[in-house]
Amino acid sequence: MSEIAEAPRGGEMTDSPFLKQLAAVIRAEDSYGTWDEKSDSEIMAEFIVTREERRDIPIIGDPDPDVMWRIGKFYDAIGLMIEKDTGCMASQMQKMSHEGFGRIVLIAGKLVVVSKHLRDVHRFGFETYAKLAEAGEKLVADAVATIEQFPDAARA
Amino acid sequence: MSEIAEAPRGGEMTDSPFLKQLAAVIRAEDSYGTWDEKSDSEIMAEFIVTREERRDIPIIGDPDPDVMWRIGKFYDAIGLMIEKDTGCMASQMQKMSHEGFGRIVLIAGKLVVVSKHLRDVHRFGFETYAKLAEAGEKLVADAVATIEQFPDAARA
């Protein structure tokens, strides 16, 4: 009889520049190196929310400060990737309601390079590392395309 | 002997489209018409902060919710004037620190049409109605010029 190995939570770690950037953003807060022994997947474990976990998270009340922190780091990583690719520094602004709806923008010069409306902020997360990487890379690619479309506004 | 009349607080009301818009924005919250008898200058009296009053406002602690409300209304009025002049709807986002520093942007399409860094948010206000009108009209004029400079981004 062959054994069926259970897939690890979040699936396999993928080799993604976005995930490397996100891990670096998180490690930047670790001034004393207490996470040095942790792997990138351990560092980013809280960005994974499985289907079952999702269902168990209530969407009542103010979103948790930890969730807001994760969302901030996610978009910080997006902003840094955009800057690497285009040289345009992108700063983040958030607008969040108490009900977990919100909007996040990244602004470079006079250009809104990322604009994302969020809902169910309480449940912010991705089923797998692959999906986390894919979401981040898509946002970066779209932002770079927007800057290429409106280069003067981005540098204004 | 001639008497010296004391100047009214905030000076004379000036005939300004911005002040009319701001008064309308404020009156829009008065669902029951309790302010119908009040003049526009009474309605906007709290936007006036004289030099003496300014000195007396401490800049310690979180800015007062009333101040945040006034700042919101001020930029709502700016946004509506921009929409009247250009047809571009501008939505507001704020980022405010607990120390009273902050940034406000108005966004039309993918274009940041107003971007204002604030300090001493606690003391937000204008010495006179004329200065309030002037500040509003300058922001609107600059935003309209920005939209004319980047019309495609504003409509993206």
Side-chain angles (χ1 to χ4, degrees):
Chain A
M1 265 176 68
S2 63
E3 274 188 16
I4 295 166
E6 209 177 310
R9 180 170 172 279
E12 295 300 327
M13 194 65 189
T14 54
D15 185 36
S16 142
F18 176 72
L19 293 186
K20 286 200 181 68
Q21 181 67 70
L22 181 57
V25 165
I26 297 169
R27 287 189 194 276
E29 294 211 346
D30 178 31
S31 315
Y32 297 101
T34 50
W35 301 336
D36 281 356
E37 303 297 308
K38 289 194 185 186
S39 67
D40 282 359
S41 59
E42 283 175 293
I43 290 274
M44 293 186 284
E46 298 197 319
F47 286 83
I48 302 300
V49 177
T50 65
R51 252 166 230 246
E52 294 70 35
E53 288 166 357
R54 223 182 130 71
R55 272 199 295 266
D56 292 340
I57 301 172
I59 54 168
I60 291 166
D62 275 329
D64 202 81
D66 287 355
V67 167
M68 299 313 301
W69 184 88
R70 283 201 288 281
I71 293 176
K73 294 299 153 195
F74 179 81
Y75 286 94
D76 282 349
I78 305 277
L80 287 165
M81 296 275 290
I82 294 169
E83 190 175 350
K84 273 183 194 167
D85 285 3
T86 65
C88 294
M89 211 179 83
S91 63
Q92 189 181 138
M93 291 185 80
Q94 300 184 352
K95 185 178 188 171
M96 221 51 76
S97 82
H98 294 290
E99 292 82 29
F101 288 88
R103 184 183 184 191
I104 294 205
V105 293
L106 293 182
I107 294 171
K110 288 187 188 295
L111 190 66
V112 178
V113 297
V114 171
S115 173
K116 188 88 180 166
H117 288 269
L118 301 173
R119 61 192 175 85
D120 293 357
V121 161
H122 308 70
R123 292 170 170 170
F124 178 80
F126 301 86
E127 264 182 77
T128 62
Y129 291 107
K131 286 189 178 174
L132 171 60
E134 194 189 332
E137 267 142 37
K138 185 174 183 330
L139 282 169
V140 173
D142 290 350
V144 171
T146 301
I147 291 171
E148 282 166 0
Q149 194 184 352
F150 304 110
D152 297 339
R155 287 171 178 88
Chain B
M1 267 176 69
S2 63
E3 275 187 16
I4 296 166
E6 210 177 310
R9 182 172 171 279
E12 294 301 326
M13 194 65 187
T14 53
D15 185 35
S16 143
F18 175 73
L19 292 185
K20 285 198 180 70
Q21 181 66 70
L22 180 58
V25 166
I26 297 169
R27 287 188 195 278
E29 295 212 345
D30 178 32
S31 316
Y32 297 102
T34 49
W35 300 336
D36 282 357
E37 304 295 308
K38 288 194 185 187
S39 67
D40 281 359
S41 58
E42 283 175 291
I43 290 274
M44 293 185 284
E46 296 196 321
F47 286 82
I48 303 299
V49 176
T50 66
R51 253 166 229 245
E52 295 70 34
E53 288 166 356
R54 222 181 131 71
R55 273 199 294 265
D56 292 340
I57 300 172
I59 53 169
I60 292 165
D62 275 330
D64 201 83
D66 288 355
V67 167
M68 298 312 303
W69 182 90
R70 285 201 287 281
I71 293 176
K73 294 299 151 195
F74 178 81
Y75 285 94
D76 283 348
I78 305 277
L80 287 164
M81 296 276 289
I82 293 169
E83 190 175 351
K84 274 184 192 166
D85 286 1
T86 65
C88 295
M89 212 178 82
S91 64
Q92 191 182 137
M93 290 185 81
Q94 299 184 354
K95 183 178 189 172
M96 219 53 75
S97 81
H98 295 290
E99 293 83 27
F101 288 87
R103 185 184 183 190
I104 294 204
V105 294
L106 293 181
I107 294 170
K110 288 187 188 294
L111 190 66
V112 178
V113 297
V114 171
S115 172
K116 189 87 180 167
H117 288 269
L118 301 173
R119 59 192 176 87
D120 293 358
V121 160
H122 309 70
R123 291 169 170 170
F124 179 81
F126 301 85
E127 262 183 80
T128 62
Y129 291 106
K131 286 189 178 173
L132 171 60
E134 195 189 330
E137 268 143 36
K138 184 173 183 330
L139 282 169
V140 173
D142 289 351
V144 171
T146 301
I147 291 171
E148 283 166 0
Q149 194 184 350
F150 304 110
D152 297 339
R155 287 170 178 89

